[in-house]
Structures are given as structure tokens and as C-alpha cells.
Amino acid sequence: MTFENLRIARVVVSEVHRRNDERAVVTPSYGLALANLDAEATAALAERITSAMGSSARSMELDIVDAAPGSCAAFAAELETCDAATFVAHTRLIVDKLALAQGSRSIPGGILLVFSGTAGHPQRNIVGVLKAEVHSGFTRRLGPQNAINIEFVKNLLLTPQTKLYKIGVFLNEGEPNGAWRAFVYDDQLSTSNRLAAAQYFYEAFLGCGFPESGARRTREFHDHTQEFIRSLPWPEDQKTELHNALVTYLKVDQTPTIQV
């Protein structure tokens, strides 16, 4: 899925806070109405999402593991065509779900955008969430006689350079049975190393899981075999030969399958 031709119809902006010193959930700041974004702001937001979701190294399709009532997948189906008041009300439930999923104080708070719209050609309905962490920076100001000044801004988010955000998108395939697909963007994510991705976001919050993939299985085979070789009570020169043989088997032989 390429998320080209992305058109955002509705957005609600809320804020989820870091847990307090007692690790209790801090009540989120809920969006009370649809965000009033002008055409330029909407286009910039769509460009950020399209650019992120189009990164094959940092975004991928996941399996929807939890589609029960109260899950993000179930909320997506409800938000797809509901009225504005229902959209805003259900957004509060999604925000609460993220606050609960962030079970550690080490997980920072951030702005949560819940959005709906269409993507692809032919267009398909999408419902998505975007968590963005805020940062500081400078903005340019023109003073008297066009003198250029800079102004410090504390709460910036979604600038082109920042990578402090995560995205989850549910897409309706448009089939009669209402089949949905899930896509996730995380700057730490890769198809061969899922352990670096934020588990609280894609699993506890979105209810998604990684599909079985050849790249990940190959990496697991490599890592487990290396660990086994290191544990052998053999001389180091023999272990080195086994390590080299493993690399040769995986990188040089280029066999279409691996005989574990």
C-alpha cells in the first residue's frame, strides 16, 4: 500500500501525558471538537503521513491480532462513516487506550492525532492515529525595516526533520466482508528487527502483530546459531570457522531456502 493520493477529511487533536511518579495514568487532554485546519495545514499533514508510510524501511503492514469491541480496529470501523459528534466522542476512547498502553514512565507523552479520510487509487477509506512528541526550535520573524529576528518556540511537532512520531493506519479494502488492513510507521522499525519497534504502540495500543516473514526468520536463525556456536566448549579457532561457515551459508550460497 503506497498511501499516495491521501486526503484527510477529519482530525481530532488530543494530548497524552507521561505517567506520574507513582506510575499512575495522568488524565489526557481530550480534543473537544474537530480540528479546524486550513488547506495548507491539511496538505502539510498529509505530506508528512505519506512520506512516513512510504518508507519501506520504517513502515510495514502488520496483522490485526485484536479486532474485538474496544480495540483500535473496532474503533476504526466505527469511525469510518460516523457523524462528527460520534467521531469526537470515540476519539476519547482511543486516547484513553493509548494512555493505558503507555505502562512505563520512560515512555514520553505527546500529541495524538486521530484522523480519517481516503487514500490510494481507487480511493479507500482509512482511519489513522499519529503520536507526535514535541520539541523546541526557532522560527524567523521580520522586524522593522525587514530586520530578521529569531524567536524560540518550545512546542514544535511534525517538522520535516523530526522523527519523533509513530503512525498507525487502518485501511478498508472495500470488500463486501469489510476486510481491514493495518499499517504502522515507527522510526525504529525494520522488517528484520522488530524488537526495536515500540511494542506498546503497535501491540498494546493498536492490537497488531508482526506477520511471519522470511527476513525475520533468517535473522532469528542467524542469531540463535551464533549463540549456540559461542556456547560450545571448543577452541576459538574452531568457533571462528563455524561462524565463517554460517555467513557463507546465508550470504554466499544464495539458496532460496534455509535448512534449519
Side-chain angles (χ1 to χ4, degrees), residues 176-198:
N177 61 0
W180 287 80
R181 297 166 66 188
F183 301 85
V184 172
Y185 167 86
D186 189 325
D187 183 58
Q188 302 300 316
L189 176 64
S190 69
T191 54
S192 61
N193 185 12
R194 66 174 183 170
L195 298 179

Side-chain angles (χ1 to χ4, degrees), residues 114-256:
V114 181
F115 60 91
S116 67
T118 59
H121 181 77
Q123 291 185 334
R124 298 181 177 91
N125 291 335
I126 63 167
V127 175
V129 292
L130 185 156
K131 181 193 174 185
E133 299 174 26
V134 297
H135 60 284
S136 58
F138 292 88
T139 183
R140 184 191 63 164
R141 297 288 186 186
L142 291 179
Q145 300 179 348
N146 291 327
I148 298 178
N149 297 314
I150 59 174
E151 180 179 333
F152 182 68
V153 180
K154 290 184 177 180
N155 298 314
L156 292 173
L157 67 152
L158 291 180
T159 59
Q161 290 74 28
T162 184
K163 297 179 180 179
L164 303 177
Y165 58 95
K166 308 179 190 305
I167 305 173
V169 175
F170 293 91
L171 177 140
N172 189 337
E173 283 283 35
E175 299 175 358
N177 61 0
W180 287 80
R181 297 166 66 188
F183 301 85
V184 172
Y185 167 86
D186 189 325
D187 183 58
Q188 302 300 316
L189 176 64
S190 69
T191 54
S192 61
N193 185 12
R194 66 174 183 170
L195 298 179
Q199 188 174 11
Y200 81 88
F201 186 80
Y202 74 80
E203 185 175 289
F205 174 49
L206 295 178
C208 295
F210 280 79
E212 297 296 333
S213 70
R216 184 165 63 83
R217 287 299 189 189
T218 301
R219 182 186 179 92
E220 289 179 349
F221 171 72
H222 173 270
D223 293 346
H224 289 314
T225 305
Q226 273 202 327
E227 182 179 352
F228 172 72
I229 294 172
R230 284 194 293 266
S231 68
L232 292 174
W234 290 4
E236 286 301 320
D237 57 341
Q238 292 186 26
K239 292 183 181 182
T240 301
E241 289 180 1
L242 290 176
H243 282 297
N244 293 338
L246 174 63
V247 173
T248 300
Y249 179 54
L250 295 177
K251 298 292 187 180
V252 180
D253 290 354
Q254 294 292 307
T255 54

